[in-house]
Amino acid sequence: MQRRTFLTTAGVGVTAGLAGCLVDDGNGGNGGNGGNGGNGNGNDTADGNGNGGAGSDITVGIIYSTGGLGDDSFNDMANAGIERAVEDFGISYKDAEPDAPADMNQMQRNFAGDEEIDLVCCIGFDHATDLEENAAEFSDQQFVLVDAVVEADNVANYTFREHEGSFQVGHLAGLLTTTDYAHGGGETNTDETVVGFVGGQETALIDRFEAGYIAGVRHADDSIETPSAYAGSWNDPSRGQEIASGMYDDGADVVYHAAGGTGGGVFQAAQSAGRFAIGVDDDQSISAEDFSDVIVASMVKRVDNAVYDSVEAVVNDEFESGMNDLGLDDDGSVSATIGQDFEGELPEDIVDALEESRQAIIDGEIDVPDTTDDL
């Protein structure tokens, strides 16, 4: 899977543990290390689904966030990371998809108490409260937590500075809505300067996406209107489409979503309106390719690398607890990635402006707010 970014000068300050490079390889690294992994798709236990193959005696338990697999976004990125680890290291894994946050505690306990499992990956901030208790009770188990922090000797935490990447796609949206631009399935309306934001559930994490996005829009032009709304769900495309359609009807040229599977409805609305959308977590011009003609960019964060590298650490007996806080300067861990149909098609002055704002964030010249209260 080929990925692209606005960037030609990826930062060199790689945070320990993350080795993938967005510019060089969309899969974060090459497989084919002789691992004999496969996709067994075995129905291993009632605790989860078994997958894996020969080549390593390491077994990982991975519990996704609510919204589940098939979101073309956050959870699918985590799954890509574990599948790559299967391919490269020959590990095995069991996975589980909670229907609600209330399911997470028992799923964590099932995997933590499974003698076959060497690492439990908890995908999503909703895991944090239960993990605080379970990490203490299962002190001999190793855990990874993505998108939140539990301070414990057996938990490796991976967080992302989503507000930095969101600033970049907001800057892009702001520049586009003030430009007469048409490409693919969309065009801007020069009579309006409006760009929208659709969140999934209203949480502190998604507020960070919204804050960075609006700050980026204002960096382009602080007179641009920025309506925001939340769907209240990670997997309700109909609601996402309804919200986004209203924004497009009110003049929005671009809508950015941070809403998991709900975002599919935002893309549908963009196609219907002949406007543009911005994806999240994965390069959604690829993962949701049917909408690539309107997905002008995606705010990518490499959850796949977080999973992959944490597994690699266990395989190499190098697991370390603590923090990995990743942003624009961490070798593509967070980035604004141009959609595959828009590569080389954006005006050069917009691309140059984005590179300038990216570097200014890395250099500390732009302080990106991480809450809407700080806008």
Side-chain angles (χ1 to χ4, degrees):
M1 181 166 60
Q2 186 68 36
R3 295 180 191 280
R4 302 149 309 284
T5 80
F6 300 130
L7 320 177
T8 56
T9 54
V12 296
V14 183
T15 298
L18 287 196
C21 176
L22 184 61
V23 175
D24 292 339
D25 182 351
N27 292 321
N30 295 321
N33 292 333
N36 296 319
N39 300 320
N41 295 322
N43 295 317
D44 194 48
T45 72
D47 297 333
N49 299 316
N51 301 272
S56 170
D57 59 357
I58 298 296
T59 300
V60 176
I62 183 167
I63 309 166
Y64 300 104
S65 180
T66 54
L69 295 173
D71 61 0
D72 296 327
S73 185
F74 182 68
N75 286 301
D76 283 359
M77 284 287 276
N79 179 258
I82 197 69
E83 288 286 353
R84 183 151 47 95
V86 169
E87 182 178 351
D88 286 1
F89 308 127
I91 63 136
S92 299
Y93 75 90
K94 303 177 182 179
D95 62 0
E97 298 181 66
D99 291 327
D103 299 333
M104 291 174 175
N105 183 37
Q106 192 59 51
M107 288 177 172
Q108 289 178 15
R109 296 180 64 82
N110 289 346
F111 283 162
D114 186 334
E115 293 183 354
E116 295 181 358
I117 289 181
D118 303 280
L119 175 71
V120 179
C121 293
C122 300
I123 308 301
F125 65 90
D126 281 346
H127 282 277
T129 300
D130 294 319
L131 186 55
E132 285 185 6
E133 296 182 5
N134 290 328
E137 180 172 344
F138 297 92
S139 58
D140 293 333
Q141 182 59 269
Q142 301 168 123
F143 296 91
V144 165
L145 177 60
V146 175
D147 270 1
V149 176
V150 168
E151 295 182 359
D153 292 340
N154 55 341
V155 180
N157 302 279
Y158 287 82
T159 58
F160 296 84
R161 297 195 293 278
E162 298 93 349
H163 51 300
E164 294 181 354
S166 296
F167 183 100
Q168 284 259 274
V169 295
H171 191 194
L172 169 60
L175 293 170
L176 279 179
T177 196
T178 54
T179 301
D180 185 3
Y181 177 72
H183 183 72
E187 62 180 339
T188 57
N189 173 9
T190 55
D191 293 333
E192 304 279 357
T193 54
V194 182
V195 300
F197 174 83
V198 176
Q201 294 183 354
E202 197 162 2
T203 65
L205 178 70
I206 304 303
D207 185 70
R208 185 159 51 185
F209 286 78
E210 182 183 353
Y213 179 67
I214 293 174
V217 174
R218 291 179 179 175
H219 185 71
D221 185 334
D222 61 9
S223 69
I224 297 170
E225 295 180 48
T226 55
S228 296
Y230 284 76
S233 173
W234 305 115
N235 54 9
D236 190 348
S238 296
R239 180 60 180 148
Q241 184 174 10
E242 179 184 11
I243 294 171
S245 293
M247 292 178 175
Y248 291 123
D249 288 345
D250 289 339
D253 288 316
V254 185
V255 176
Y256 170 43
H257 87 88
T262 298
V266 174
F267 301 149
Q268 290 176 329
Q271 272 189 339
S272 296
R275 302 298 184 203
F276 301 109
I278 295 175
V280 76
D281 292 338
D282 199 353
D283 179 350
Q284 295 203 282
S285 72
I286 293 175
S287 65
E289 192 169 13
D290 288 348
F291 304 103
S292 65
D293 63 331
V294 295
I295 300 175
V296 65
S298 296
M299 199 296 286
V300 174
K301 64 178 191 179
R302 299 305 301 270
V303 175
D304 57 336
N305 282 350
V307 171
Y308 179 91
D309 291 331
S310 63
V311 174
E312 183 178 31
V314 172
V315 169
N316 294 332
D317 197 23
E318 295 174 347
F319 175 86
E320 292 185 3
S321 62
M323 279 297 304
N324 297 275
D325 183 36
L326 307 169
L328 286 177
D329 56 341
D330 293 308
D331 201 19
S333 295
V334 171
S335 68
T337 301
I338 296 176
Q340 60 177 337
D341 289 357
F342 293 85
E343 180 75 14
E345 300 292 342
L346 290 173
E348 187 174 347
D349 59 335
I350 289 182
V351 175
D352 290 345
L354 291 168
E355 176 55 30
E356 288 176 8
S357 66
R358 172 187 170 274
Q359 193 60 51
I361 294 170
I362 292 172
D363 293 342
E365 296 169 1
I366 294 177
D367 184 17
V368 182
D370 60 2
T371 74
T372 50
D373 290 339
D374 292 333
L375 286 168

